[in-house]
Amino acid sequence: MGNRCVITTKDVTKKNQNEKLGVYLHWCGPREDVEEILSECKKRNIRSPEHDYSYFWARFCQIAAEYCGKNDTTGIGIDLVSRLDVNNYDNGVYYVDDDFNIVRQTDGTELLLGHKKDKLNGRPTGHSGWVLL
């Protein structure tokens, strides 16, 4: 239960998701919230993922924590996309370009092929990288 999403870069595919990072947001997953965070990234002139991949994700997490950290139930996690809750039954996955725009939103199932499923609820196993603020 929650209002969750995963944010990653536009170039993530099923084949390279073990190499690419993403951010999981809990209680801050609606498109409007993610667009607001990306807008703030642009205002602060942070480097794009294409120009400085690790710096982008560090600053994105800082700004997301500032924006979403209004209550104690907000969770933010960073990990390889393959280990995040991409099939979260809420807002799915947002793919972001180098101009801080959402270029695609999916339910995350395109990234699930080949993953082990939890026998109880059919969801992918191995979620990690979750940090509560």
Side-chain angles (χ1 to χ4, degrees):
M1 180 170 105
N3 206 345
R4 302 161 288 200
C5 74
V6 170
I7 299 106
T8 192
T9 51
K10 66 179 180 180
D11 60 343
V12 170
T13 65
K14 184 177 51 148
K15 287 186 177 187
N16 71 4
Q17 67 175 318
N18 287 318
E19 304 161 7
K20 298 291 185 170
L21 293 176
V23 171
Y24 168 86
L25 298 179
H26 193 105
W27 295 117
C28 205
R31 187 180 185 104
E32 307 82 54
D33 289 341
V34 175
E35 287 174 336
E36 192 67 34
I37 294 165
L38 291 167
S39 175
E40 187 61 27
C41 289
K42 203 171 193 172
K43 284 181 200 170
R44 295 189 194 187
N45 294 315
I46 71 168
R47 296 178 202 129
S48 71
E50 179 183 314
H51 291 99
D52 195 335
Y53 193 73
S54 63
Y55 180 83
F56 166 76
W57 286 115
R59 293 285 288 159
F60 179 89
C61 286
Q62 174 197 2
I63 292 167
E66 290 172 6
Y67 182 84
C68 302
K70 299 170 189 162
N71 61 55
D72 291 336
T73 61
T74 299
I76 296 177
I78 185 166
D79 205 338
L80 297 173
V81 172
S82 62
R83 295 173 60 180
L84 292 171
D85 188 7
V86 295
N87 191 18
N88 54 55
Y89 300 102
D90 284 323
N91 298 288
V93 179
Y94 298 107
Y95 294 85
V96 177
D97 68 12
D98 292 322
D99 293 321
F100 307 102
N101 298 308
I102 296 170
V103 294
R104 188 163 58 120
Q105 179 180 2
T106 71
D107 65 3
T109 55
E110 75 283 358
L111 298 172
L112 292 178
L113 298 178
H115 282 258
K116 292 181 181 176
K117 302 278 181 136
D118 181 320
K119 290 181 184 171
L120 205 55
N121 61 18
R123 297 182 71 189
T125 60
H127 305 163
S128 66
W130 299 12
V131 178
L132 289 179
L133 296 176

